[in-house]
Amino acid sequence: MVIGGSGDVGRLIASLLAADGDSVLTVDPATPGVARPGIEHLLGDIVSPDVEVRAVLSAAPLVVLAVPESVALETELTFLHDRSLLVETLSVKSAFARKVASADPPGSILGINPMFAPSLGMDGRPVAAVVHRDGGAVENFLGRISDWGGRVVHVDAEQHDRLAAATQALTHAAVLAFGSALAKLEVDPRLIDSLAPPPATTLLALVDRVAGGEPEVYWDVQSGNPYAGRARSALAESLRELNEIVASESETAFTAFMTQAGAAVPNHDEYRALCAHLFGIVRGTAREGDRS
């Protein structure tokens, strides 16, 4: 059973389960746009489940909660039974971890976070895994993620949120701030497009992807993560520091600033090679997927 099966993550998980031959039922207040083989749909609200939704919940061995944090935190966990597995897909884990601890529900509970846009697919991409309540069903499901091509990375709820703040909240904030700043410069976008060097072109692509995404998803990352505010503050502090260094006309301080920024990157050779590859794609001199 996939709650929120009309969303991007819910559609991805439901499709993967159906491809494995499972009988899949999605539950969502919205009607799915296109019927998918092996997947049935039930109109329903997990926050206020009717008799039919409750009956299916009580019988389902696997329930995937692919909903926003606000909905997940309002969801009662009384439908769980000893042999059930609940899998939540939240982008913020700590609040739900506290909910599980206080409710002490039966069954196994796992948190996953696909660290990529669902449209890209799982193959070779990282999936964060937070075990809220262990059990054999947890390892089985994580094994299925590996079989689907996902790369499982185990973290606890606090580690997850700290890492998500650093890799998602900070990244999205920097990308959106770049786009907002660019708009304030009042430069002709067509001239930017014709003259932009590879780093600017890459950032423009990131701005377009993030700004064109689902606002609710990005809002959850920024507003729900308890460490996201510190990530945004660190970004603002670094920009202020850079401004002060340039105003001081100290090239030595600027060099130190660059060194400090570079120290945050592991595996320098690997990332430099990746950057060269990406810029090759930007220039049109390399095919996507060709890392040679």
Side-chain angles (χ1 to χ4, degrees):
M1 190 171 186
V2 179
I3 311 297
S6 297
D8 290 342
V9 175
R11 283 198 299 269
L12 172 66
I13 301 298
S15 297
L16 291 167
L17 291 170
D20 281 352
D22 287 10
S23 297
V24 180
L25 176 69
T26 59
V27 178
D28 199 286
T31 302
V34 180
R36 291 172 289 167
I39 302 175
E40 297 182 8
H41 186 73
L42 176 65
L43 288 177
D45 184 355
I46 189 62
V47 174
S48 301
D50 58 22
V51 174
E52 186 175 10
V53 172
R54 287 184 180 276
V56 178
L57 280 169
S58 64
L62 170 64
V63 177
V64 178
L65 199 58
V67 297
E69 183 183 32
S70 58
V71 175
L73 293 180
E74 290 185 44
T75 300
E76 292 295 329
L77 302 180
T78 53
F79 64 84
L80 295 172
H81 50 86
D82 290 340
R83 291 185 294 174
S84 67
L85 171 62
L86 174 67
V87 178
E88 53 87 357
T89 65
L90 300 171
S91 56
V92 179
K93 303 296 188 191
S94 51
F96 192 84
R98 290 193 295 271
K99 175 182 175 70
V100 170
S102 62
D104 194 26
S108 304
I109 304 178
L110 171 67
I112 65 169
N113 186 6
M115 304 296 281
F116 52 87
S119 60
L120 296 175
M122 275 203 186
D123 194 24
R125 305 186 194 282
V127 178
V130 176
V131 179
H132 295 296
R133 186 181 291 277
D134 207 354
V138 168
E139 288 305 313
N140 178 269
F141 191 84
L142 292 176
R144 297 182 73 168
I145 291 177
S146 297
D147 291 341
W148 294 333
R151 179 164 52 83
V152 176
V153 181
H154 286 271
V155 289
D156 62 33
E158 183 182 3
Q159 284 176 319
H160 171 276
D161 289 357
R162 286 184 181 276
L163 288 166
T167 60
Q168 291 185 313
L170 176 60
T171 302
H172 300 161
V175 168
L176 290 171
F178 172 81
S180 176
L182 193 60
K184 292 171 183 173
L185 296 180
E186 299 180 351
V187 181
D188 187 338
R190 291 169 298 180
L191 290 175
I192 291 176
D193 183 53
S194 63
L195 288 175
T201 301
T202 303
L203 276 170
L204 286 168
L206 286 168
V207 170
D208 194 56
R209 185 174 183 85
V210 172
E214 179 57 50
E216 184 178 53
V217 173
Y218 291 97
W219 173 250
D220 276 353
V221 170
Q222 296 294 338
S223 65
N225 192 315
Y227 304 104
R230 175 57 189 140
R232 292 189 301 273
S233 294
L235 177 62
E237 289 166 12
S238 293
L239 285 173
R240 283 195 298 270
E241 184 181 354
L242 178 58
N243 262 338
E244 291 168 1
I245 288 171
V246 175
S248 73
E249 300 183 353
S250 172
E251 187 174 347
T252 300
F254 182 77
T255 300
F257 185 85
M258 288 184 63
T259 301
Q260 180 186 43
V265 181
N267 306 319
H268 292 290
D269 291 342
E270 180 180 337
Y271 276 98
R272 285 169 185 163
L274 175 60
C275 190
H277 169 66
L278 292 173
F279 288 175
I281 294 172
V282 168
R283 292 194 305 269
T285 58
R287 295 190 306 276
E288 186 171 0
D290 179 6
R291 291 288 298 274
S292 60

